Amino acid sequence: MKLVIAIIQPHKLEDVKKELYAAEVNLITVSEVLGHGQQKGVTEIYRGAKETGNLLRKVRLEIAVNESFVEPTIKAIIKGAKTGNVGDGKIFVLDLGRCVRIRTNEEGSLAIG
Amino acid sequence: MNTVNTGDTAWVLISAALVMLMTPGLAFFYGGMVRKKNILSILMQCFIVLCLLSIQWVVYGYSISFAPNDGFWGGFQWFCLNGVGVEPYPDYAATIPHQAFMIFQAMFAVITPALILGAFAERMKFSSFLIFILLWATFVYAPVCHWVWGTGGWLKKLGVLDFAGGIVVHITAGIAALATALVIGKRKNLEKNIPSPHNLPFVVLGTALLWFGWFGFNAGSALAANGIAVSAFVATNTAAAAGGLSWALMDLIRNGRTTMFGTASGAVAGLAAVTPGAGFISVVPAIAIGLVASLICFIAVSVIKPKLGYDDSLDAFGVHCISGTWGVLATGLFASKLVNPAGADGLFLGNPKQFLIQLIAVGVTLVYAFAVTMIIYKIVDLTIGVRVDEKEEAMGLDLTQHHERAYTVLE
């Protein structure tokens, strides 16, 4: 079992969701986050006071998958999120120790799907 | 020498203030509908129109709209309000200072161009917006305003009835919205994902401010605190209410639930539709005008627009042009000299000629405003470019055009 975490551009969320559904990955969690990578943030001005290097809005996806779905998930995220510019984001893949479905007490691979 | 009536003057000044509030009201009405990365751009566009056109109006806008002239627009003799003083100008209003009429009209000149921005929301460069609006106010609003309301205007001489701006405000802005939506093109990624309004409470707040301000818009257009002002006030409230109910009902029939967004849109449609007839009609026609306005706007935005495929983002055409056109024609049907002896009887009171006049005015205004809006757009597009680039559109206009954001994520 792996946990795939992806940080993407907010406006690419719909594209990524579409690609994930096409790859039959249907269970995702999405949250709004702020991030700062190579893109260096943006300048903001408030009543003349300039603030540089502010964090940019990003979207964070969390997807728990069985081994066989790891590659399709990564491919789908890249396909949906890539623009070729800095700021497209990153994908992290972590080992997942345990997974329990609250409704049924099912564990492991059964609970993930 | 005409004498100034204090009651009339007080009412017109209050009405001017009410209409001023409609522009920020419109900003929230529109601002709630866009994505949260673009709300400041909408608020800013509305607010800067208030600043920019207030100046334009006193410098030359009022003169080219209202100074007596038989030609294409008004004369330049009132440049910088030269000769526009505190004495009444009886051609327009015999019992209030001329400047009171001028500042009341200023608020109309401000909100009309602001209505258009719903069509190209979320994708126009701010610099281009400023130039577009200034040219539009000068070459579309001012001439049409002169034709309909100015001394020497040809539609006025023809006898067209437009009490508070169905032609001058809603048709000009509404058809300009269609023209700009067609040429600027759709927002990116629209096929995949139609964006939800980011803050519907703002839309409702905006609607409430518009409804409130509209009492100044319509009842103030009597230019006196008299019976016609009262009947326009009653007609305005009645049509707004009928419009809101009517849209809620259609939501219910078509989708099984009434919606807040729909009901608010219906009220605005009813308000726009009653504008040209407000001071010429009684209460039953006002109900009919509001009910029908919502019905046809509902069809325009939820059936026709998706079929034709243009992206009038916030339905400036679908609500204002459609209901404004309906209202102007309905005035030709329902107008009654019993309500306003200075008006005329409509078709239903045995005067088909009035309906014909209304029809001519609508046709000419639609063609003129559409064509000139296209020309202005093209000029701005060929010189400095109208649309933001794709990356800026993705990041949002708040950050890219103004270096601000409306909402923080943390704190």
Side-chain angles (χ1 to χ4, degrees):
Chain A
M1 293 185 299
K2 301 279 185 197
L3 179 63
V4 179
I5 298 173
I7 311 293
I8 63 166
Q9 304 261 37
H11 67 277
K12 300 304 278 181
L13 176 62
E14 290 304 317
D15 292 330
V16 170
K17 267 164 63 187
K18 208 180 99 199
E19 296 301 333
L20 285 170
Y21 295 150
E24 295 180 349
V25 178
N26 298 316
L27 308 180
I28 64 172
T29 304
V30 177
S31 50
E32 192 177 28
V33 294
L34 291 177
H36 192 319
Q38 281 183 29
Q39 207 183 349
K40 296 284 192 308
V42 282
T43 302
E44 295 175 30
I45 305 172
Y46 295 102
R47 284 194 173 160
K50 213 173 204 178
E51 294 174 21
T52 44
N54 274 320
L55 299 167
L56 282 167
R57 250 174 233 281
K58 299 284 173 186
V59 162
R60 172 185 158 119
L61 309 175
E62 287 161 283
I63 308 167
V65 289
N66 289 316
E67 301 297 339
S68 60
F69 274 95
V70 174
E71 281 312 310
T73 302
I74 292 170
K75 285 203 179 92
I77 294 170
I78 292 173
K79 198 169 169 200
K82 189 169 184 167
T83 69
N85 297 318
V86 283
D88 276 355
K90 282 207 177 66
I91 300 171
F92 310 111
V93 183
L94 284 65
D95 284 325
L96 193 60
R98 199 174 164 195
C99 170
V100 184
R101 193 194 296 271
I102 295 173
R103 174 167 56 88
T104 57
N105 292 353
E106 287 168 298
E107 294 230 8
S109 298
L110 219 57
I112 273 188
Chain B
M1 188 62 61
N2 292 281
T3 46
V4 168
N5 177 301
T6 52
D8 291 349
T9 306
W11 171 235
V12 171
L13 286 180
I14 288 168
S15 291
L18 285 170
V19 182
M20 176 269 161
L21 195 61
M22 290 173 75
T23 298
L26 181 75
F28 279 99
F29 180 66
Y30 279 165
M33 291 184 215
V34 297
R35 286 165 286 183
K36 59 184 169 185
K37 61 187 175 183
N38 292 319
I39 182 183
L40 290 175
S41 79
I42 299 287
L43 300 184
M44 178 62 171
Q45 287 180 354
C46 286
F47 210 87
I48 206 75
V49 166
L50 179 57
C51 298
L52 182 69
L53 295 185
S54 289
I55 303 296
Q56 181 260 9
W57 192 249
V58 296
V59 173
Y60 70 89
Y62 181 64
S63 188
I64 61 170
S65 304
F66 281 98
N69 186 19
D70 287 336
F72 169 71
W73 57 15
F76 284 91
Q77 60 267 41
W78 290 347
F79 184 76
C80 284
L81 301 188
N82 182 31
V84 179
V86 294
E87 294 300 324
Y89 185 76
D91 269 15
Y92 296 135
T95 62
I96 60 172
H98 192 180
Q99 278 198 5
F101 176 75
M102 182 284 300
I103 198 67
F104 178 63
Q105 285 296 334
M107 302 311 172
F108 286 65
V110 166
I111 193 165
T112 306
L115 289 171
I116 312 170
L117 65 89
F120 47 71
E122 309 195 295
R123 58 206 188 281
M124 195 191 263
K125 282 204 295 203
F126 185 65
S127 53
S128 316
F129 170 80
L130 289 176
I131 296 167
F132 172 82
I133 286 296
L134 191 60
L135 291 172
W136 194 89
T138 305
F139 294 103
V140 180
Y141 185 79
V144 176
C145 180
H146 187 71
W147 300 346
V148 176
W149 287 338
T151 300
W154 69 275
L155 286 170
K156 186 180 188 176
K157 286 188 208 160
L158 201 63
V160 73
L161 295 180
D162 187 3
F163 191 72
I167 301 168
V168 178
V169 175
H170 297 286
I171 294 184
T172 57
I175 195 68
L178 179 65
T180 49
L182 287 172
V183 285
I184 200 169
K186 292 183 189 185
R187 286 165 291 171
K188 293 288 168 201
N189 299 322
L190 205 64
E191 313 74 35
K192 291 175 230 160
N193 173 34
I194 295 167
S196 313
H198 94 281
N199 192 332
L200 281 179
F202 276 172
V203 176
V204 180
L205 171 72
T207 306
L209 289 172
L210 284 170
W211 189 329
F212 180 68
W214 229 296
F215 292 126
F217 204 89
N218 288 358
S221 288
L223 299 170
N226 59 16
I228 292 168
V230 173
S231 85
F233 197 114
V234 172
T236 301
N237 195 60
T238 305
L245 276 177
S246 169
W247 199 301
L249 190 66
M250 277 174 301
D251 261 347
L252 186 65
I253 293 168
R254 200 176 143 95
N255 302 321
R257 289 288 185 280
T258 55
T259 65
M260 186 64 252
F261 192 17
T263 309
S265 307
V268 172
L271 286 162
V274 79
T275 298
F280 303 119
I281 58 165
S282 54
V283 73
V284 174
I287 295 174
I289 285 173
L291 288 175
V292 175
S294 267
L295 179 70
I296 53 179
C297 288
F298 183 87
I299 295 167
V301 305
S302 66
V303 182
I304 298 175
K305 183 172 92 157
K307 284 211 175 107
L308 296 182
Y310 59 90
D311 182 19
D312 173 9
S313 319
L314 315 180
D315 295 314
F317 169 75
V319 173
H320 292 278
C321 191
I322 300 289
S323 61
T325 301
W326 155 243
V328 173
L329 297 178
T331 305
L333 300 175
F334 295 118
S336 162
K337 278 185 159 176
L338 290 174
V339 176
N340 187 343
D345 282 336
L347 179 70
F348 292 160
L349 288 169
N351 181 18
K353 186 163 166 271
Q354 191 59 44
F355 186 75
L356 194 67
I357 294 170
Q358 301 297 100
L359 205 58
I360 292 169
V362 167
V364 169
T365 308
L366 285 175
V367 171
Y368 176 80
F370 186 88
V372 177
T373 303
M374 281 288 196
I375 294 167
I376 293 170
Y377 181 97
K378 286 290 175 194
I379 291 171
V380 180
D381 200 25
L382 291 172
T383 47
I384 59 170
V386 168
R387 192 164 173 153
V388 295
D389 67 37
E390 215 169 311
K391 193 178 164 216
E392 290 177 316
E393 191 178 331
M395 281 181 71
L397 302 189
D398 293 1
L399 268 181
T400 59
Q401 303 299 299
H402 307 294
H403 284 191
E404 289 172 303
R405 64 173 112 215
Y407 310 102
T408 53
V409 176
L410 312 171
E411 295 178 331

